[in-house]
Amino acid sequence: MLHPKIKQEFPIKELFAPTSPWEFLGFALITILMSLLTEWHPLGFVGIAGIFTFWWWLDRQRAKARIKHLQQQSFLSLKSKAPAPAKGLILLLSSYSPSQIELKNSQVLESLIQKIRETSITDLTWNDLNKIDLVNSNLRPQIEAVKFHADSGKLKEVWLLSSKESSISQGSEITAEILEKYLQFQYGKKLAINSGQNYTFEDWNYIKIWQIVQKIFQESGYKDDVIVADITGGTKMMSVALAMACVSPKRRMQYMDSKRDWQGLPLPQGEIKPVLIDVDAIFYP
């Protein structure tokens, strides 16, 4: 996206790390004023007050310029669009929840899931996955997200972020096992799948989530702009933490948008597609 040219900002921070004659002159002036101030000289007070007033005025001008710039970007007419196919995909997971009523019985569901966990990839069948209602479960957004990027032929690696079970939360570690099993079954060695203890946390621990995502971006070997973080799954706290880690320039997010009924619930067979969330134009105009 092309952005209209913005008037260059006054490099106020360079006054404290001068790299040109004019910046050095400003640095020297501030130093003199600070010396006069320590000696209780009236010029020191007047000079510091003048610099404070100028800096305050400059910040206000910058704020006005930012608002004007955002208006020029026509955000009110922003249209949703799909993200470019990614090489890496970060997914958040919630505790597993199928749609079929009979699977709401925890004992029945746990028995079927345990069988899948114990079955090798070579012996796993679609019948096993259908018994837990996988494609209609709350894992459908993640399945569709992987499919979207994998169909392009570019997707190489997936990270499954899950929460630990606690006294107030069921956790999603088992959900990660189910999805990992499905991805291995569906895509084989085409995808590298990362999950387990290094990607597991308490769902309220936004600092830990942020640290994990930061580590993914820094150590994955991919450039930031070829990894997409999907904020659809997990708890609201997990989504916020993931979004916090994606505020840095060139990091991209997506949300799996779906058709919903009158109650706001996703339709079981409705279309679901990724929508790009690009915050660079807001934070780095």
Side-chain angles (χ1 to χ4, degrees), residues 64-106:
K64 290 179 181 178
R66 179 179 289 272
I67 293 172
K68 183 178 180 180
H69 173 66
L70 293 178
Q71 290 172 341
Q72 290 174 338
Q73 297 305 305
S74 302
F75 279 102
L76 292 178
S77 60
L78 182 67
K79 295 182 179 179
S80 64
K81 63 178 181 179
K87 291 185 179 180
L89 183 62
I90 302 173
L91 299 173
L92 297 176
L93 303 177
S94 306
S95 56
Y96 187 72
S97 178
S99 296
Q100 293 180 10
I101 300 299
E102 56 269 26
L103 293 178
K104 298 299 181 181
N105 184 316
S106 59

Side-chain angles (χ1 to χ4, degrees), residues 122-141:
T122 54
D123 295 330
L124 192 65
T125 65
W126 269 112
N127 185 49
D128 296 322
L129 299 172
N130 289 334
K131 285 182 179 179
I132 64 169
D133 196 26
L134 179 66
V135 294
N136 297 314
S137 71
N138 62 333
L139 272 178
R140 188 183 168 210

Side-chain angles (χ1 to χ4, degrees), residues 213-229:
V213 178
Q214 282 287 99
K215 191 172 182 179
I216 290 174
F217 276 106
Q218 293 169 357
E219 300 181 3
S220 67
Y222 301 108
K223 292 182 178 180
D224 283 3
D225 59 358
V226 299
I227 297 177
V228 169

Side-chain angles (χ1 to χ4, degrees), residues 183-223:
L183 295 178
Q184 291 173 339
F185 172 77
Q186 183 71 4
Y187 299 100
K189 296 183 179 180
K190 293 180 181 179
L191 292 182
I193 305 167
N194 303 280
S195 65
Q197 292 303 311
N198 290 336
Y199 305 97
T200 306
F201 40 77
E202 299 87 356
D203 57 10
W204 52 264
N205 195 340
Y206 58 91
I207 297 296
K208 179 67 174 179
I209 301 169
W210 180 86
Q211 290 173 335
I212 290 174
V213 178
Q214 282 287 99
K215 191 172 182 179
I216 290 174
F217 276 106
Q218 293 169 357
E219 300 181 3
S220 67
Y222 301 108
K223 292 182 178 180

Side-chain angles (χ1 to χ4, degrees), residues 253-264:
M253 292 177 281
Q254 71 174 33
Y255 175 78
M256 297 303 293
D257 189 29
S258 60
K259 293 184 178 179
R260 298 176 179 271
D261 60 20
W262 65 275
Q263 293 178 307

